[in-house]
Amino acid sequence: MTTALITGSTAGIGAAFARRLAADGHDLVLVARDTKRLREQATELHDRHGIEAEVLTADLAADAGIEAVTARLGDRRHPVDLLVNNAGFGNKGRYLEVSLADELRMLKVHCEAVLRLTSAATEAMRDRGRGGVVNVASVAAFVPRGTYGASKAWVVQFTQGVARDLGGSGVRLMALCPGFVRTEFHERAGMGTDNIPGWMWLDADKVVATALHDLARGRTLSIPDPRYKALMGAAKLVPRGMLGGLSSRTGRKYGPQ
């Protein structure tokens, strides 16, 4: 039986990964900041699917939290076969309206934590000759849209670059780039969603199903819906300056501010 470690596991896409992987028979290491929610999640998944679910409370905006998770990923006696770097958040407000401390906290979680956790996981996986990493990014990575989009663009470039460097090692890496997903993400950031068209919303369980299918096929990038694939293809045809203006206006209306 293999083991998957999921950050940000108690809500949204992370919780969907936990449900799917537990249903498929994987043991889990569940990582989030809320110990109570983690324990409730672990109990539910164990009782429903008969898998072992380990709880690891960690705040990935702090060095201590990152170090706790990297230590678990480096435990050769209890190897992790799949890492899902899902933890993340958005800040409400335009650039310079968000405090620098909050911007740096976002980069800590979206970039530094992803780098350090991926490094810890893949080193152990390469030695065993097998393993996988899914780094959750966003379609915001493909449009000029402030710190959030920039951090997710870093995730995509980093993941695909590492995937090439580790080619032939038995370790697979993939960046997952969904659009709007029905989760707690926007509510936690204090962002309104009433104006978002219904067709733009994705289901978290379907996103995860597509992601795991794409990972198994060896893809390094997954945009888990034909509608968003079409939108991203069209975005490549729009002049960069015009795209920047459109994404700025759209982001203030719909997305992470």
Side-chain angles (χ1 to χ4, degrees):
M1 185 175 292
T2 58
T3 298
L5 185 149
I6 306 165
T7 69
S9 70
T10 55
I13 294 174
F17 267 109
R19 290 191 297 269
R20 172 60 185 268
L21 292 169
D24 288 347
H26 298 274
D27 288 337
L28 301 175
V29 182
L30 305 171
V31 180
R33 294 178 297 171
D34 190 324
T35 303
K36 182 175 181 293
R37 288 184 72 178
L38 281 171
R39 289 175 176 168
E40 291 172 350
Q41 181 185 34
T43 298
E44 178 185 356
L45 293 173
H46 169 76
D47 292 348
R48 179 172 297 182
H49 301 292
I51 54 93
E52 295 300 319
E54 177 184 342
V55 165
L56 177 53
T57 305
D59 181 357
L60 297 181
D63 283 334
I66 296 174
E67 289 162 4
V69 182
T70 57
R72 177 61 185 85
L73 290 166
D75 185 349
R76 304 303 175 99
R77 297 169 302 170
H78 304 95
V80 170
D81 304 280
L82 175 65
L83 166 64
V84 180
N85 274 316
N86 167 73
F89 62 94
N91 287 319
K92 183 179 181 180
R94 300 166 76 176
Y95 182 64
L96 296 183
E97 294 175 353
V98 178
S99 72
L100 183 58
D102 286 342
E103 297 277 41
L104 290 171
R105 182 168 168 264
M106 176 184 287
L107 293 176
K108 185 90 169 178
V109 175
H110 290 185
C111 300
E112 182 180 341
V114 169
L115 169 63
R116 293 170 64 179
L117 269 56
T118 299
S119 298
T122 54
E123 182 177 5
M125 292 173 182
R126 182 183 59 183
D127 292 345
R128 294 196 305 274
R130 67 182 187 280
V133 177
V134 176
N135 289 330
V136 179
S138 168
V139 293
F142 306 112
V143 295
R145 185 60 199 136
T147 305
Y148 182 85
S151 69
K152 293 304 186 179
W154 182 90
V155 171
V156 172
Q157 294 296 319
F158 166 73
T159 303
Q160 292 192 297
V162 174
R164 286 191 293 269
D165 288 346
L166 294 181
S169 69
V171 182
R172 295 180 177 180
L173 292 97
M174 186 184 76
L176 171 60
C177 296
F180 291 106
V181 183
R182 295 195 182 279
T183 69
E184 298 176 10
F185 179 93
H186 294 87
E187 180 181 351
R188 286 182 173 183
M191 301 173 189
T193 59
D194 292 343
N195 291 329
I196 300 176
W199 66 266
M200 295 185 74
W201 287 106
L202 304 177
D203 176 77
D205 292 316
K206 292 180 179 178
V207 167
V208 167
T210 301
L212 293 174
H213 176 72
D214 287 346
L215 181 67
R217 295 179 64 184
R219 292 186 174 177
T220 61
L221 178 68
S222 175
I223 300 176
D225 187 88
R227 293 164 291 182
Y228 279 98
K229 288 179 181 177
L231 283 174
M232 293 305 100
K236 295 178 181 179
L237 304 177
V238 178
R240 193 70 175 171
M242 182 183 298
L243 183 62
L246 288 171
S247 66
S248 181
R249 292 191 296 274
T250 303
R252 287 195 295 274
K253 186 175 182 182
Y254 297 138
Q257 304 291 305

